[in-house]
Amino acid sequence: SLKGLASLLLEEATICGIHLYDEDTSSYNIPFVKKFLSGKAVLIRGYERLQGFVLRTGMSLREILVGLFNGKLKLVNRLYGSGTRLLLDHILSKKAIEFGIDPREIPKRINGYSNEVRTHIDVARCIAQGEADVGVAIKWVAEMYGLHFVPLRWERFDFVVPKNVPKAYLNGFITSLKSRKFLSIMRSMSGYRYNSTCIGTIVNV
């Protein structure tokens, strides 16, 4: 998500998906667009996806976090700058403080923290093949691989477009986003939801 915003800023792209959680405001996406592209882009409201811990065997959220911090569970992580990585770092930092651990020690303390993969499917594949024990991914991917899923948060997945994009292109994208075909596909996928009155709405930031 952060790389997507950087691509827009450098005029290397005309649209990017974004799902970035801001700790200070407890909200998604808009704070980051304001920070990096204020006045230069608009946000198009998208949908929500359910993120959670994915693993081969059933565990509670506390068991997973304890297992990560005591080294019994091996993590597969996402790339730095991705929305999923930011969410996981936020959760691990809060838990580290609760356990009396300096959050700066997380990369050294958690087994597999530096093991980074690009996609949700890569996370699920690593766990299914036994290369790691746990990671964060969306519910739909966990079910695709027959893995256990422990919910963490419904995240907002929106889109960012520069203000100078031709109106015809912008309207075409919004039409596709609100189309019956696209919404039907989303309804068929576990862990996705949308608000029919909000999806495709343009937000000036």
Side-chain angles (χ1 to χ4, degrees):
S1 290
L2 285 177
K3 288 183 178 179
L5 291 179
S7 293
L8 292 184
L9 188 62
L10 296 171
E11 299 183 351
E12 296 174 345
T14 53
I15 188 168
C16 77
I18 178 175
H19 57 112
L20 294 168
Y21 179 71
D22 179 62
E23 295 181 40
D24 295 333
T25 62
S26 299
S27 64
Y28 273 90
N29 301 333
I30 289 178
F32 291 89
V33 181
K34 284 183 177 179
K35 181 177 180 180
F36 297 109
L37 289 162
S38 180
K40 299 179 180 179
V42 297
L43 182 139
I44 302 171
R45 283 296 187 196
Y47 43 84
E48 291 180 294
R49 309 187 305 183
L50 185 57
Q51 289 257 42
F53 279 116
V54 178
L55 58 165
R56 290 186 300 280
T57 58
M59 289 186 182
S60 68
L61 177 58
R62 179 168 179 81
E63 287 174 326
I64 293 169
L65 291 168
V66 169
L68 285 170
F69 277 97
N70 66 19
K72 291 184 179 179
L73 295 179
K74 183 178 180 180
L75 177 71
V76 55
N77 210 346
R78 291 291 306 281
L79 294 176
Y80 180 78
S82 69
T84 302
R85 173 68 169 267
L86 287 177
L87 174 61
L88 177 60
D89 284 346
H90 170 66
I91 291 168
L92 292 178
S93 293
K94 287 184 67 176
K95 189 55 61 174
I97 293 170
E98 182 182 315
F99 289 161
I101 298 168
D102 186 339
R104 292 174 295 184
E105 294 297 314
I106 288 173
K108 296 179 181 178
R109 191 175 186 108
I110 293 184
N111 183 18
Y113 185 86
S114 61
N115 176 25
E116 300 176 345
V117 296
R118 294 185 59 84
T119 69
H120 292 271
I121 289 177
D122 290 335
V123 170
R125 185 185 297 117
C126 283
I127 294 167
Q129 294 176 348
E131 297 170 11
D133 300 308
V134 64
V136 176
I138 54 176
K139 184 180 181 181
W140 179 70
V141 167
E143 292 189 354
M144 182 195 306
Y145 278 82
L147 299 168
H148 290 271
F149 181 81
V150 179
L152 288 172
R153 178 175 289 147
W154 282 96
E155 63 169 9
R156 287 214 57 86
F157 193 102
D158 298 318
F159 302 90
V160 185
V161 180
K163 281 191 172 181
N164 60 4
V165 166
K167 193 171 183 179
Y169 295 165
L170 180 62
N171 291 340
F173 176 76
I174 292 173
T175 297
S176 297
L177 192 62
K178 299 176 71 171
S179 68
R180 289 184 179 181
K181 182 176 182 180
F182 180 76
L183 298 181
S184 175
I185 291 171
M186 204 182 316
R187 284 194 294 270
S188 71
M189 299 171 68
S190 179
Y192 280 78
R193 68 185 185 189
Y194 65 92
N195 184 327
S196 59
T197 62
C198 291
I199 191 168
T201 300
I202 296 175
V203 180
N204 289 298
V205 292

